[in-house]
DNA sequence: CGGTTCGTTGAATGATCTCAAGTACTGTGG
DNA sequence: CCACAGTACTTGAGATCATTCAACGAACCG
């Protein structure tokens, strides 16, 4: 399942927070200039990484959080039989590594899906900074809370819903996250991950995913292509996602 | 899948000042006397609550965290069809409401399962206290991180494992948590929740749970009674729970 | 003691998986 | 640009597991 292990290319390239300031969905946005400067001083831009690169592996000492600048990643855990289990996908603006906070080591592997730039945030210094800055702490807690809620909600769905429903919710989630990230409402969702990863993430076999995609296609809800899916009936998808 | 609330096993049974003899005893352990005093000043013991009481409801403004003193609770969310979905169980020493941190309202309902005493912790004041106290912040972040990891692990299991496996993991988790709470290694697990709740939590119908229990019983792994389950083969159960 | 809820059991249905082929895409070397 | 090999994806048919529907038994509570 893990084919090519290219060595990590850590191209160090000093850079300001230019990549972050433009978007509201960024940790820096909560900071006054003084604290932003402090945070800026400890973060480092890293990249480019290529598909298959592993940013960290489970069991390695946890010392760094990553903010995704451009590109995308998946995280995966190992089941006791040694199979990989995809536990999440991460896109630009999202924070990678939060599930390691409070632990000594990363609980999962982070695998790059396409050309990707990251922003490395030393965890120790960052958490100390949070301790002295209520606004930043609130940002961090907010994100962790979001994460807990999202996981819990996702878990709930996975227990109850059928494959078709889960897939619709997943697609709608991808769409929504891209709206939040980019503000654009294109109905074409690019798939930077393999279908196999999606199936794994949804708890389905690739065969079942394939059949389910076909079903949605026949229902006129999506147009499933190879590396992209066009969402033809957003209403149907968001209806699936309603609490 | 359950591993879910297990993170809270870090809870220390520390009974220091009479203020916190039996309330809030976990979070206080990280504090120097001065800060402990501050925290003590804002927490309040509440109870007794009886089975069926709702501590909070989803949608209500989030303003309080609760530490379970004695007794037990379940949290449940509403699916869009209006059915209830059990999202977790909480026992003495565990922290209730963390999934609301960062949100304005509680995402779930908290329902009491038996006679229960709680310790109410005003969220605003508590979080402010954390912001000024690195040790306390670390405790809180640690718990939230534990929670994220547990949810993630649980979710993973739920996607992969069959009913029998999930049930074994659940039972083993109940056992482990009780060892942590009480230190006693009795193999009889009291069920304060209804079987219906367990089935719901595991993503099964009550019928399927019943059949699965019978299977484990016939295999000599458990002795399933009405309000308790005796764990006859702990090795088999912990084997199911191994990473 | 009845009524009610909770839990169990059986048989039939349905969803997803497994196994086994077949097809389409991707990258490589000629 | 094409042929090729390797991988990803799709499709079909049968097996497996959990659900549904229906009925019954056992505990709880007035």
């Amino acid at each position: 399942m893990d084919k090519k292990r290219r060595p990590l290319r850590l191209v160090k390239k000093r850079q300001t927070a230019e990549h972050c300031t433009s978007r509201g969905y960024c940790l820096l946005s909560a900071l006054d200039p003084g604290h932003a400067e402090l945070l800026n001083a400890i973060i480092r831009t890293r990249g480019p990484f290529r598909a298959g690169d592993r940013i960290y592996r489970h069991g390695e000492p946890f010392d760094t959080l990553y903010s995704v600048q451009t590109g995308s990643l998946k995280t995966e855990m190992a089941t006791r039989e040694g199979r990989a289990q995809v536990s999440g996908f991460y896109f630009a603006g999202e924070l990678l590594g939060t599930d390691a906070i409070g632990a000594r080591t990363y609980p999962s592997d982070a695998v790059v899906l396409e050309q990707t730039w990251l922003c490395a945030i030393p965890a120790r210094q960052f958490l100390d900074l949070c301790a002295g800055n209520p606004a930043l702490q609130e940002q961090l807690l907010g994100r962790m809370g979001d994460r807990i809620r999202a996981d819990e909600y996702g878990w709930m769905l996975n227990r109850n819903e059928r494959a078709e429903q889960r897939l619709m919710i997943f697609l709608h989630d991808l769409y929504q996250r891209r709206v939040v990230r980019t503000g654009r409402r294109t109905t074409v969702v690019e798939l930077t991950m393999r279908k196999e990863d999606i199936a794994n993430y949804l708890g389905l076999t690739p065969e079942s995913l394939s059949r389910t995609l076909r079903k949605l296609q026949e229902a006129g809800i999506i147009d499933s292509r190879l590396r992209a899916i066009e969402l033809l009936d957003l209403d149907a998808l968001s209806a699936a996602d309603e609490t």
Side-chain angles (χ1 to χ4, degrees), chain A residues 58 75-79 82-88 99 107-109 200:
Chain A
H58 76 277
T75 51
E76 55 184 26
M77 312 178 77
T79 65
R83 288 190 321 242
Q85 170 66 50
V86 176
S87 54
D99 56 351
S108 56
D109 289 21
N200 189 309

Side-chain angles (χ1 to χ4, degrees), chain A residues 50-63:
Chain A
R50 287 184 307 167
D53 287 349
R54 275 176 150 72
I55 305 303
Y56 55 75
R57 291 162 201 271
H58 76 277
E60 288 179 359
F62 163 59
D63 54 7

Side-chain angles (χ1 to χ4, degrees), chain A residues 13 22 71 79 86 95 110 113 127 167 171 180 184 192 196 199 214 216 227 237:
Chain A
K13 182 176 168 192
S22 56
T79 65
V86 176
L95 197 56
L113 295 173
L127 294 179
L167 178 54
L171 292 174
V180 169
R184 300 192 316 127
T192 57
E196 193 184 338
R214 185 155 50 99
L216 290 185
R227 296 236 126 39
L237 291 171

Side-chain angles (χ1 to χ4, degrees), chain A residues 60-114:
Chain A
E60 288 179 359
F62 163 59
D63 54 7
T64 313
L65 289 164
Y66 297 91
S67 175
V68 183
Q69 240 177 285
T70 64
S72 53
L73 306 89
K74 66 176 174 182
T75 51
E76 55 184 26
M77 312 178 77
T79 65
R80 71 176 146 292
E81 301 94 11
R83 288 190 321 242
Q85 170 66 50
V86 176
S87 54
F89 298 106
Y90 295 81
F91 303 98
E94 300 182 338
L95 197 56
L96 184 68
T98 51
D99 56 351
I101 291 177
R104 284 196 214 154
T105 59
Y106 293 99
S108 56
D109 289 21
V111 184
V112 173
L113 295 173
E114 60 181 325

Side-chain angles (χ1 to χ4, degrees), chain A residues 2 6 13 18 34 52 76 80 96 124 155 167 212 242:
Chain A
D2 170 32
R6 301 198 193 89
K13 182 176 168 192
E18 157 264 322
E76 55 184 26
R80 71 176 146 292
L96 184 68
R124 186 69 270 150
W155 193 23
L167 178 54
T212 310
E242 238 132 59

Side-chain angles (χ1 to χ4, degrees), chain A residues 1-4 74-76 83-89 113 167 170 191-210 213 225-227 229:
Chain A
M1 80 217 154
D2 170 32
K3 36 351 326 269
K4 38 210 156 177
K74 66 176 174 182
T75 51
E76 55 184 26
R83 288 190 321 242
Q85 170 66 50
V86 176
S87 54
F89 298 106
L113 295 173
L167 178 54
F170 173 74
L191 303 179
T192 57
M193 69 293 287
R194 294 175 308 173
K195 291 236 168 81
E196 193 184 338
D197 290 329
I198 298 177
N200 189 309
Y201 177 71
L202 292 175
L204 299 171
T205 58
E207 296 95 318
S208 290
L209 174 63
S210 186
L213 280 169
R225 310 203 197 92
L226 199 63
R227 296 236 126 39
I229 292 177

Side-chain angles (χ1 to χ4, degrees), chain A residues 110 115 156:
Chain A
Q115 172 153 311
M156 183 184 90

Side-chain angles (χ1 to χ4, degrees), chain A residues 136-156:
Chain A
L136 190 56
Q137 176 187 270
E138 185 142 351
Q139 277 264 331
L140 176 63
L141 288 177
R143 292 228 182 173
M144 291 180 76
D146 286 345
R147 172 68 180 271
I148 290 174
R149 281 186 292 285
D151 279 358
E152 199 152 80
Y153 182 67
W155 193 23
M156 183 184 90

